């Protein structure tokens, strides 16, 4: 993979010459100065696009302004749509920096960009409406909305919006696993407001612990910060909090030093150990080990195999595995709950409506179309792709491949459809790659051009046997920003080329019907993952089992995140925030 | 006055060479870089001060962390006190920039500095407690406190703090003049949270007005912003809002442009026309005229002579003077109430306790001691100095001056006490300066060294007559940051030299008793005042009737405010905020 090796080489360069990375950050920023200024001041053509044709434009309604919705909007450039965006957040938030916002390493405003300014410079007619979608009516092609309930304005009038195409990108809710007390007593870390609330709570805890009326035991309880969930978010928050306390707060609250404790509770055997996800998504054992050891040195108490069973206002009860199921109650001051994602209530209702029950997320096909609904697309955390199983289509595939209707498949016939099969059923390609079907792969490879070998025949039973294990390779995509952003971009490209693809379909053969699919199905490319561990050290897991841990990865992290930010404004803001933090430390004012 | 002329000369230089001012801002910032870094990282000696003596330190309790309290804490450097600070805000806010925060020209966090970091580098033992004082018990020398009610922590335990000296600097509350509906429906602009709330409300209004369900009339109502009170704060907010709307919001909400309206309601005949205050405090007629004309050009509707009589959730009712007392109801979307200050409930209770009823603020003597309470000091917006009248002491003054007990005063005898009189009763000096007592002033001047003239005699009746009009010169100090800061500094200097002054009193003669006062009484020095009018134009009123209006004053404003900020951190933050605003405009994300 070309992108990968470039990435790898660049990273290695960063490792060898750490100043190079710093230089790149500096150049990126200063070089961007003029671009930024020009960008911020260009208004020409903002609303001066003439309608392309007189026919009624198709109305696309996009619900949500997170990673999926925003990258869809950013890439959509076909002026033949009228786009209506509905979301209670009038901004896009760069969520990977949320843990940094909890401790003031970056400011909340630096990681957000108004959705109106993201869409206003495009040739497409996009209008935004700050409202919450509370019901989807697929039969009448309508979504029902009400004004943002958080708003201070007192309007409550509900309204309906018609659509020709609906793009659902509402994201997910935190998953409490129905643990009692979680909703009432825990902080979550999904929205910008959550991060701001956590920041205030941390300061509140330190102020509260400084009051003269408390016993030392109470102080200890109040300054006990518990993080539930050892995934990337929980780990990063624990690391950020540790840095905030030790770099900044102990200077201002010297008496608090002896009472502060950070505890990380993880139900599995290791932190950063994601069970779901693609084969190559997740963290390497080396990273997990490093993180656990670093946290141990830092004094962060990592309790593995601890499952939270109840949260009350002052105590959190856990069941430790291998301990006879005994329940321990730990006094705490603040809990951050970061264990995974659950279903948005509106999505749950809609799923009931269309008969998709007992699922966490909306099932779509490989083209991100919601199963059973024409004209509705779902992407990001609120959706999962229901990858079609090869075994379900095995007879149709065999029939399509067997062009001479002989009842057997020659290697040559197989060769002709294998690319379409791999495209339609990516699990086959994965299986071929992992050398679990090396005999067939070798056969197909070696037989090329060899007439004798090309004549080797397979019958349907042999064919079935060869592909029987393929479907076990199927895994769900993880609920990450990377997946959502790629889905948004993919879908926008489909929408951009909709008419064109109708005439010249570019997808794989339809095995059950005639012709080809209009588009290639969505394929996720994993570019790696970071886990900042505090103290200017970050673990980076890049594709191809490539692992980097330490200060150089921190600079790689700075560079990648700075470059990924949505606008020059946020880029400059985040980088100045990092600089401010370096010079002045983090602020502890309670605002 | 030397300070004044320097100020004047500098300002004139800014006028002649506007780039000079910019250069100074730039130099201040870049030059401050290293200082800032060193400052932020110096921790040596923070808590390593050994106790000065073994005797029990006097305990000073400071209530409030606004301008008065903070400047007191900054200047206090006598290690013989134990200082306990109590305030629900764990930060000091640079309030003159609050109107800029309402529209995102500067960020809230840029104008605040944690009180703990302000006090931690001093040799004095200062501890801070985030709590609200709800009762003062002067008899038992205690203040009663409860934890910050805004805090998310759920402690409600009240506690008492003993003091030897109490410094009350709690500030004031907005004054609603008991107008019905104001508390329920209006925004104020006194705290950082108020400014943040206003910012969200402005964005909310624009989002609400963009919803598809509204009639144009409703849209017009929602985008009608009303500012009540044409003082410096109200005027600056109206100007900021106008800039925010026209520079930034209309680009993102093009449809809203035709509906936005800003109205400024002022009960008096002119805006920026402060009635109370010292003779030379307040704005010149030229500034008032310029501001009214500029607002007219900008489309801000200034309604003079309009008194608000009632506010409901959608309408504000005003009575226009000279209109037969007719009441008009104006539909509005958001109101900012900025008409002056009222009494804090805790102060009101305390005033009742000590018999100071029917006053707006705590009366103190010229040394900032609360009348009738030994060991309690009050300063800033919660206090007014009750300047002693000359006529009340006239017999005692005459007696003290008449050293030979002749029943008459020679000019020589008068000359000997006139300095003490002027110091004790500043109204006399003011009266002499204004040449209303020119005959006496001339006499005193010319008689110097002239034996014949020095022998001229005055009897008590003549003396009384000469001074009879003096007391009418007395005016209250305005409730401004400048006054509060000077009072804090003054009081800290008194506390620093308390023991010394006990031995060598440095104040004027006590006319009613023996000896001298320990300290000179507090004297306010007015350094001028700014009124930013939007569009990078500011009106500056400097002492000595010196007026400057326009872009150069805006740069003077930038320079003065940047230099006055409390720390290098806030200085750099505010200047980068200004730069960000210049390059990227103001952000309109609803966070």
């Amino acid at each position: 993979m070309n992108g990968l090796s470039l990435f790898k080489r660049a990273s290695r360069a960063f490792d060898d010459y750490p100043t190079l990375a710093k230089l790149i950050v500096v150049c990126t920023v200063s070089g961007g100065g003029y671009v930024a200024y020009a960008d911020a001041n260009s208004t020409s053509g903002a609303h001066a696009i003439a309608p392309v044709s007189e026919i009624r434009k198709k109305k696309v309604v996009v619900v949500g302004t997170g990673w999926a919705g925003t990258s869809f909007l950013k890439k959509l450039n076909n002026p033949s749509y009228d786009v209506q965006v509905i979301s209670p957040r009038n901004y896009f938030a760069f969520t990977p920096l949320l843990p940094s916002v909890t401790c003031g390493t970056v400011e909340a405003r630096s990681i957000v960009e108004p959705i109106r300014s993201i869409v206003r410079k495009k040739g497409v007619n996009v209008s935004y409406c700050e409202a919450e979608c509370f019901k989807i009516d697929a039969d009448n092609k309508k979504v029902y909305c009400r004004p943002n309930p958080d708003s201070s304005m007192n309007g409550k009038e509900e309204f309906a919006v018609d659509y020709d195409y609906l793009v659902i990108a509402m994201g997910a809710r935190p998953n409490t696993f129905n643990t009692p007390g979680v909703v009432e007593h825990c902080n979550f870390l999904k929205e910008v407001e959550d991060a701001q609330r956590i920041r205030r709570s941390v300061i509140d805890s330190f102020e509260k612990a400084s009051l003269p009326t408390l016993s030392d035991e109470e102080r200890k309880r109040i300054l006990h910060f518990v993080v539930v969930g050892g995934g990337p978010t929980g780990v990063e928050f624990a690391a950020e909090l540790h840095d905030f306390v030790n770099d900044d707060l102990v200077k201002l609250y010297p008496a608090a030093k002896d009472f502060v404790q950070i505890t990380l509770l993880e139900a599995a055997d290791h932190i950063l150990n994601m069970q779901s996800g693609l084969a190559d998504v997740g963290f390497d054992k080396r990273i997990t080990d490093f993180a656990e050891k670093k946290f141990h040195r830092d004094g962060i108490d990592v309790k593995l195999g601890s499952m939270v069973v109840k949260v009350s206002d002052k105590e959190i009860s856990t069941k430790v595995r291998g301990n006879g199921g005994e329940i321990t109650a730990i006094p705490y001051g603040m809990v951050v709950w970061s264990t995974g994602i659950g279903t948005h209530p509106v999505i749950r209702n809609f799923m009931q409506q269309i008969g998709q029950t007992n699922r966490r997320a909306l099932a779509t096909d490989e083209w991100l179309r919601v199963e059973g609904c024409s004209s509705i697309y779902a992407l990001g955390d609120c959706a999962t792709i229901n990858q079609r199983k090869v075994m379900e289509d095995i007879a149709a595939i065999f029939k399509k491949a067997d062009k001479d209707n002989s009842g057997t498949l020659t290697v040559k016939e197989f060769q002709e459809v294998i690319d379409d099969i791999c495209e339609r059923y990516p699990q086959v390609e994965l299986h071929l790659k992992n050398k679990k079907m090396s005999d067939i792969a070798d056969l197909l490879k070696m037989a090329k051009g060899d007439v004798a070998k090309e004549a080797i025949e397979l019958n349907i039973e042999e064919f079935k046997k060869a592909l029987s294990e393929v479907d076990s390779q199927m895994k769900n995509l993880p609920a990450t920003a990377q997946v959502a952003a790629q889905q948004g971009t993919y879908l926008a490209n489909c929408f951009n080329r909709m008419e064109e693809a109708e005439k010249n379909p570019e997808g794989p053969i339809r095995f059950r019907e005639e012709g080809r699919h209009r588009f290639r199905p969505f394929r996720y490319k994993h570019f790696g993952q970071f886990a900042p561990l505090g103290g200017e050290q970050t673990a980076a897991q890049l594709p191809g089992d490539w692992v980097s841990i330490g200060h150089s990865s921190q600079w790689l992290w700075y560079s990648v995140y700075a470059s990924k930010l949505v606008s020059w404004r946020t880029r400059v803001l985040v980088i100045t925030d990092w600089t401010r933090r370096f010079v002045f430390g983090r602020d502890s004012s309670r605002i």
Side-chain angles (χ1 to χ4, degrees), chain A:
Chain A
M1 214 184 291
N2 213 355
L4 161 64
S5 58
L6 177 70
F7 205 40
K8 256 178 147 175
R9 258 179 288 134
S11 312
R12 211 157 287 153
F14 286 146
D15 252 359
D16 298 342
Y17 312 98
T19 45
L20 180 66
K22 296 174 203 180
L23 199 71
I24 288 181
V25 175
V26 172
C27 291
T28 314
V29 179
S30 47
Y34 177 71
V35 183
Y37 182 80
D39 191 44
N41 286 279
S42 73
T43 47
S44 59
H47 292 271
I49 306 294
V52 168
S53 65
E54 290 303 306
I55 49 163
R56 193 183 81 85
K57 291 183 175 186
K58 293 269 189 188
K59 184 152 185 193
V60 181
V61 170
V62 180
V63 184
T65 50
W67 278 96
T70 304
S71 57
F72 175 79
L73 292 169
K74 281 179 79 174
K75 286 285 168 198
L76 192 72
N77 59 20
N78 186 334
S80 69
Y81 298 107
D82 253 339
V83 184
Q84 172 73 56
V85 186
I86 294 162
S87 166
R89 312 262 163 273
N90 80 352
Y91 52 82
F92 163 74
F94 189 81
T95 48
L97 285 176
L98 274 187
S100 301
V101 172
T102 57
C103 298
T105 308
V106 303
E107 288 301 323
R109 201 167 291 279
S110 306
I111 66 162
V112 303
E113 182 71 23
I115 201 75
R116 291 176 187 272
S117 81
I118 291 175
V119 301
R120 82 181 160 116
K121 278 167 215 154
K122 300 169 58 69
V124 187
N125 184 13
V126 181
S127 63
Y128 166 80
C129 186
E130 192 186 79
E132 186 186 55
C133 163
F134 67 93
K135 203 180 133 195
I136 298 163
D137 181 352
D139 297 331
N140 299 306
K141 291 198 165 188
K142 273 181 202 299
V143 288
Y144 291 89
C145 308
R146 61 181 153 230
N148 188 358
D150 299 338
S151 156
S152 61
M153 306 301 298
N154 41 12
K156 272 161 203 74
E157 306 84 3
E158 297 174 353
F159 58 97
V161 179
D162 295 306
Y163 65 81
D164 294 307
Y165 299 111
L166 176 63
V167 178
I168 305 178
M170 297 175 81
R173 286 288 166 89
N175 195 350
T176 65
F177 301 102
N178 293 323
T179 314
V182 172
V183 174
E184 296 85 348
H185 304 296
C186 293
N187 290 286
F188 301 107
L189 190 42
K190 279 204 70 70
E191 305 280 350
V192 175
E193 284 92 342
D194 295 336
Q196 290 176 308
R197 203 174 302 122
I198 290 173
R199 183 173 185 175
R200 268 196 302 272
S201 296
V202 172
I203 305 292
D204 276 345
S205 303
F206 275 84
E207 288 296 353
K208 180 78 196 297
S210 307
L211 289 178
T213 46
L214 299 176
S215 67
D216 279 1
E217 205 180 342
E218 268 286 279
R219 267 182 245 278
K220 213 171 153 183
R221 178 185 73 74
I222 289 167
L223 292 176
H224 185 206
F225 301 98
V226 179
V227 183
V228 182
T233 309
V235 165
E236 187 176 348
F237 170 68
E240 276 279 350
L241 183 61
H242 173 263
D243 283 0
F244 186 27
V245 169
N246 287 279
D247 295 351
D248 302 290
L249 290 179
V250 291
K251 287 184 198 161
L252 298 186
Y253 303 81
K257 198 176 181 177
D258 305 329
F259 300 104
V260 186
Q261 175 64 50
I262 302 171
T263 301
L264 179 63
L265 301 176
E266 166 60 53
D269 292 333
H270 289 287
I271 59 173
L272 295 175
N273 183 16
M274 294 187 302
Q275 272 132 8
S276 74
L278 284 173
D280 57 348
V281 173
F283 288 101
D284 193 273
K285 184 90 183 63
R286 284 167 285 176
I287 291 180
T288 300
D289 283 352
F290 181 87
E292 285 172 4
K293 277 182 197 141
K294 180 171 189 308
F295 276 17
H296 184 73
R297 280 199 307 276
D298 287 348
I300 298 174
D301 187 11
V302 179
K303 286 192 201 296
L304 300 170
S306 281
M307 218 175 75
V308 176
V309 290
K310 197 183 133 194
V311 184
S312 74
D313 65 338
K314 291 184 179 173
E315 282 186 336
I316 181 161
S317 305
T318 59
K319 198 157 76 179
V320 181
R321 212 161 357 119
N323 204 359
E326 200 189 315
I327 289 173
T328 330
I330 319 168
Y332 76 88
M334 192 187 89
V335 176
V336 172
W337 188 270
S338 152
T339 57
I341 56 167
T343 318
H344 198 295
V346 179
I347 300 290
R348 197 183 301 123
N349 280 345
F350 180 57
M351 281 162 69
Q352 272 166 359
Q353 218 186 100
I354 60 173
Q356 290 193 4
T357 39
N358 295 323
R359 294 181 140 274
R360 191 196 61 72
L362 268 173
T364 70
D365 63 15
E366 297 86 338
W367 291 268
L368 310 183
R369 292 175 300 202
V370 174
E371 286 188 349
C373 301
S374 63
S375 335
I376 301 187
Y377 298 79
L379 51 167
D381 290 0
C382 68
T384 44
I385 296 173
N386 209 358
Q387 177 60 50
R388 190 141 186 101
K389 292 193 176 123
V390 172
M391 293 315 281
E392 283 174 7
D393 293 343
I394 197 88
I397 297 169
F398 192 89
K399 200 163 162 244
K400 195 74 128 200
D402 181 19
K403 283 192 181 153
D404 56 4
N405 280 321
S406 64
T408 56
L409 219 59
T410 62
V411 168
K412 194 177 159 57
E413 280 173 326
F414 198 15
Q415 268 172 352
E416 275 167 7
V417 291
I418 187 72
D419 286 348
D420 284 305
I421 293 176
C422 285
E423 190 151 22
R424 180 73 186 83
Y425 310 94
Q427 61 267 46
V428 175
E429 195 180 359
L430 212 63
H431 209 69
L432 286 172
K433 260 196 194 158
N434 289 351
K435 302 196 177 162
K436 288 187 181 153
M437 261 173 38
S438 51
D439 44 344
I440 292 197
D442 288 346
L443 177 64
L444 289 171
K445 214 181 190 174
M446 292 187 309
K448 214 147 220 177
D450 181 334
V451 182
K453 280 190 179 156
E454 278 183 347
I456 296 175
E457 287 188 345
L458 282 152
N459 69 18
I460 184 145
E461 288 311 315
E462 283 175 277
F463 189 65
K464 265 189 185 166
K465 208 181 134 224
L467 293 174
S468 62
E469 271 178 37
V470 160
D471 288 328
S472 67
Q473 290 292 312
M474 292 187 339
K475 293 212 165 152
N476 285 332
L477 294 178
T480 62
Q482 230 177 119
V483 172
Q486 289 183 24
Q487 290 182 335
T489 305
Y490 167 83
L491 193 64
N493 283 331
C494 294
F495 271 73
N496 290 339
R497 290 175 295 116
M498 192 82 91
E499 278 173 54
E500 209 180 303
E502 206 72 67
K503 289 172 217 149
N504 304 307
E506 57 199 34
I509 290 172
R510 291 176 196 263
F511 288 107
R512 285 168 164 273
E513 293 151 61
E514 286 312 296
R516 307 186 77 87
H517 289 278
R518 282 183 305 177
F519 301 105
R520 291 163 190 274
F522 171 72
R523 292 289 278 278
Y524 172 62
K525 272 203 199 83
H526 186 61
F527 288 114
Q529 203 167 0
F530 288 106
L533 301 172
E536 295 284 307
Q537 300 203 54
T538 284
Q541 165 99 43
L542 302 173
D545 258 354
W546 195 75
V547 163
S548 158
I549 305 175
H551 297 290
S552 51
S553 321
Q554 177 75 28
W555 281 97
L556 183 64
W557 181 88
Y558 283 138
S559 311
V560 170
Y561 277 29
S563 70
K564 287 283 171 197
L565 280 159
V566 72
S567 68
W568 276 105
R569 192 188 68 86
T570 51
R571 212 160 285 153
V572 171
L573 261 55
V574 165
I575 292 169
T576 47
D577 282 348
W578 284 333
T579 316
R580 285 171 176 191
R581 202 267 305 158
F582 175 69
V583 179
F584 300 108
R586 302 166 183 89
D587 180 43
S588 65
S589 306
R590 194 195 168 280
I591 58 165

